[in-house]
Amino acid sequence: MSTLVAPSYEAVTGWERIPAGYSHPDVAAVAVDSKDRVFLFCRSDHPVMIYERDGTFVKSWGEGIFTMRTHGITIGPDDSVYCTDDAGHSVRKFTPDGKLLLTLGDNAGKPSDSRYDGSNLTTVARGAAPFNRPTNLAVAPNGDLFVCDGYGNARVHRFSSTGKLLASWGEPGTGPGQFMLPHGIAVDAQGNVLVCDRESDRIQVFTAEGRFVREITDVQRPTQIVLANGFMYVSELGWRAGQRSFTSGPS
């Protein structure tokens, strides 16, 4: 029987050749297209910064479009670029060169009414329509788009590839199908939807229709999931002293 060997990585010092006058003190997300070009989604004056695989700078775009709370970036199978703007309450699809193709939701730029008061996610009183501080998007094998929403909501929204809202599910709470900050999302080859319920220390798994299947609990404040080559990669934020999980108690 063969032994499964986990991939390894090595840091490449000085990889990025950033142009003079550019900076990105906070990179919210990273994605790679089919040409191995690297897209940074930044909370800076140059929101989307693109590099070749060797670190050569290509271009930037998105200036003046996004808030300083850029959050998630996803590149689809056709190299379309999906950008989730947390404070902008919007999810938009662009060409790789930054041409706007599609805006999801009927009220982009305006928070939906989840009763969130803007200060604390515990004030989210109900699941609401798209969007209230959305976080990330995943593209399903059939082209459907799944958005986790978010800091000011407690829902997952399913859209068609053309942007039609097909379904939404989720309410605030810690039970099956409830969320205390749906933060990261992925869809596997079978169409199952995996959602990082960050403040509840778990990943919930659903069918494409939103039926709860199971949960994965050996994680701590999971923020995002990437599925690749038979592995599930999960980034974790971790708890600092004095913070508490909604399912595990104080750290």
Side-chain angles (χ1 to χ4, degrees), residues 144-169:
D144 284 355
L145 309 172
F146 290 83
V147 180
C148 46
D149 181 27
Y151 284 94
N153 206 346
R155 309 217 90 180
V156 171
H157 307 289
R158 180 184 181 182
F159 295 85
S160 71
S161 60
T162 58
K164 179 183 178 181
L165 181 63
L166 301 176
S168 298
W169 72 85

Side-chain angles (χ1 to χ4, degrees), residues 20-205:
Y22 280 53
S23 66
H24 48 62
D26 192 353
V27 177
V30 179
V32 179
D33 70 7
S34 65
K35 301 175 183 177
D36 282 346
R37 298 196 306 174
V38 181
F39 288 65
L40 309 186
F41 200 27
C42 309
R43 293 169 183 169
S44 70
D45 292 335
H46 305 285
V48 180
M49 298 174 64
I50 307 171
Y51 295 82
E52 297 290 359
R53 182 174 182 170
D54 65 1
T56 301
F57 179 77
V58 177
K59 66 178 296 183
S60 70
W61 52 262
E63 289 80 0
I65 296 176
F66 303 104
T67 71
M68 284 295 180
R69 280 289 305 180
T70 57
H71 202 281
I73 187 168
T74 301
I75 296 180
D78 62 352
D79 280 345
S80 294
V81 182
Y82 298 87
C83 295
T84 303
D85 188 349
D86 165 354
H89 311 292
S90 63
V91 182
R92 287 171 279 194
K93 176 184 179 181
F94 299 86
T95 67
D97 291 326
K99 178 184 177 182
L100 180 63
L101 298 174
L102 178 68
T103 299
L104 299 183
D106 294 328
N107 296 294
K110 298 179 181 179
S112 59
D113 185 15
S114 64
R115 306 289 171 84
Y116 174 62
D117 70 3
S119 67
N120 192 305
L121 63 88
T122 61
T123 64
V124 176
R126 64 186 185 187
F131 297 106
N132 197 321
R133 299 190 66 190
T135 47
N136 281 288
L137 172 146
V139 182
N142 71 348
D144 284 355
L145 309 172
F146 290 83
V147 180
C148 46
D149 181 27
Y151 284 94
N153 206 346
R155 309 217 90 180
V156 171
H157 307 289
R158 180 184 181 182
F159 295 85
S160 71
S161 60
T162 58
K164 179 183 178 181
L165 181 63
L166 301 176
S168 298
W169 72 85
E171 299 291 338
T174 58
Q178 297 178 330
F179 301 106
M180 296 301 296
L181 210 175
H183 195 277
I185 193 164
V187 182
D188 68 17
Q190 289 72 47
N192 296 306
V193 183
L194 295 85
V195 183
C196 292
D197 189 7
R198 196 185 83 178
E199 302 302 277
S200 291
D201 287 341
R202 63 179 177 174
I203 296 168
Q204 297 194 67
V205 183

